[in-house]
């Protein structure tokens, strides 16, 4: 049964502390989940690229954007991984855009999403030897929405069942997979690919072929 989005957000955790970020004249913000296709804040520049030392995992629960209290969705976070590499988009905000972007993201990512902030080193695709420092929103095991690891098959089943205020959890997965394909063959994410494959084997069981396109 289709779930109606909640009219009020969940209880708000304290907003993350951003040392000196609000006083900067320019700042790069790294997006590796929904921010790659829907930043929803004004920015001056954007660049596709990657961060090393992290892997992307669908280990964060979402009870607002892509799920509900009864059926939390699955969204991504970053896991420290010495051999890892995560592709995404870095957005540069300048001047008044800095405080406006951080104010918006504190609600979207921290208050509603349960994410904290971390500084990462971003390598632009067109100039990987000219890295940039960027701010990333990361969900840690300490936040109440954290779900942790699960088999890709179980994650796929959960994604297919969940919908939130921002849409179906399946849309989130497929848009992220589309972004990775646009980055080219060098952009690998075995965890994401395994979940997409698992969804492909389960989708007919959840939704007849004629209705599949209406899921998202």
């Amino acid at each position: 049964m289709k779930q109606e989005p909640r009219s009020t957000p969940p209880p708000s955790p304290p907003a993350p502390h951003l040392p000196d970020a609000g006083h900067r004249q320019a700042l790069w913000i790294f997006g590796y989940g929904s921010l790659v296709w829907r930043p929803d804040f004004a920015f001056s520049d954007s660049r596709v690229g990657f961060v090393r030392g992290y892997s992307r995992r669908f280990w964060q629960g979402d009870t607002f954007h892509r799920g509900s209290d009864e059926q939390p969705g699955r969204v991504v976070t970053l896991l420290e991984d010495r051999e890892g590499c995560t592709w995404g988009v870095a957005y540069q905000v300048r001047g008044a855009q800095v405080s406006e972007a951080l104010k918006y993201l504190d609600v979207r990512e921290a208050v509603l999403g349960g994410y904290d902030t971390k500084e990462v080193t971003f390598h632009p695709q067109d100039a990987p030897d000219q890295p940039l420092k960027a701010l990333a929103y990361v969900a840690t095991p300490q936040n109440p929405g954290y779900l942790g690891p699960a088999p890709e098959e179980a994650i796929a089943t959960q994604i297919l069942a969940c919908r939130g205020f921002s849409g179906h959890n399946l849309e989130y997965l497929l848009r992220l997979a589309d972004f990775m394909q646009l980055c080219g063959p060098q952009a690998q994410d075995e965890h994401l690919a395994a979940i997409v494959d698992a969804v492909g084997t389960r989708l007919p069981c959840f939704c007849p072929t004629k209705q599949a396109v209406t899921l998202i």
Side-chain angles (χ1 to χ4, degrees), residues 162-197:
C162 294
R163 177 186 292 273
F165 184 79
S166 296
H168 203 286
N169 206 175
L170 179 60
E171 177 193 18
Y172 181 99
L173 173 71
L174 297 182
R175 284 187 180 274
L176 191 53
D178 284 346
F179 166 76
M180 289 296 290
Q181 290 203 3
L182 290 174
C183 292
Q186 75 276 14
Q188 301 294 320
D189 191 326
E190 294 181 359
H191 176 70
L192 173 63
I195 297 172
V196 172
D197 288 345

Side-chain angles (χ1 to χ4, degrees), residues 27-28 41-47 89-94 97:
L27 177 69
W28 288 91
F41 57 83
F43 55 90
S44 299
D45 192 10
S46 66
R47 306 177 76 174
V89 180
Y91 300 94
Q92 186 186 52
V93 289
R94 302 184 62 86
Q97 293 175 343

Side-chain angles (χ1 to χ4, degrees), residues 4-216:
E4 293 299 324
R6 297 189 310 188
S7 57
T8 57
S12 303
H17 177 58
L18 305 175
D20 300 323
H23 301 290
R24 298 180 187 177
Q25 290 302 306
L27 177 69
W28 288 91
I29 298 169
F30 176 64
Y32 57 92
S34 61
L35 288 179
V36 303
W37 72 83
R38 189 173 65 86
D40 280 354
F41 57 83
F43 55 90
S44 299
D45 192 10
S46 66
R47 306 177 76 174
V48 173
F50 57 89
V51 297
R52 294 193 177 101
Y54 295 92
S55 291
R56 179 169 33 218
R57 292 290 185 269
F58 276 81
W59 288 4
Q60 174 66 3
D62 190 327
T63 61
F64 186 77
H65 294 292
R66 300 292 176 173
S68 66
D69 287 331
E70 295 75 21
Q71 289 185 298
R74 284 263 183 176
V75 291
V76 293
T77 185
L78 292 180
L79 174 70
E80 290 190 13
D81 176 2
R82 182 178 299 180
E83 304 300 322
C85 179
T86 298
W87 284 75
V89 180
Y91 300 94
Q92 186 186 52
V93 289
R94 302 184 62 86
Q97 293 175 343
V98 176
S99 60
E100 289 301 315
L102 293 179
K103 181 180 178 181
Y104 167 72
L105 290 171
D106 280 353
V107 174
R108 172 173 166 175
E109 304 294 335
V111 175
L112 298 180
Y115 289 73
D116 204 344
T117 54
K118 180 185 289 284
E119 188 176 67
V120 297
T121 300
F122 174 78
H123 299 265
Q125 184 178 29
D126 57 355
D129 58 342
Q130 299 176 25
L132 308 166
K133 292 297 183 181
L135 186 72
Y137 286 80
V138 179
T140 67
Q142 286 70 45
N143 86 82
Y146 194 78
L147 296 177
E152 279 84 3
E153 295 79 6
I155 293 175
T157 299
Q158 186 173 354
I159 286 174
L160 281 168
C162 294
R163 177 186 292 273
F165 184 79
S166 296
H168 203 286
N169 206 175
L170 179 60
E171 177 193 18
Y172 181 99
L173 173 71
L174 297 182
R175 284 187 180 274
L176 191 53
D178 284 346
F179 166 76
M180 289 296 290
Q181 290 203 3
L182 290 174
C183 292
Q186 75 276 14
Q188 301 294 320
D189 191 326
E190 294 181 359
H191 176 70
L192 173 63
I195 297 172
V196 172
D197 288 345
V199 164
T201 65
R202 285 159 172 74
L203 187 57
C205 299
F206 280 79
C207 182
T209 304
K210 292 181 180 179
Q211 297 177 4
V213 294
T214 68
L215 245 183
I216 58 175

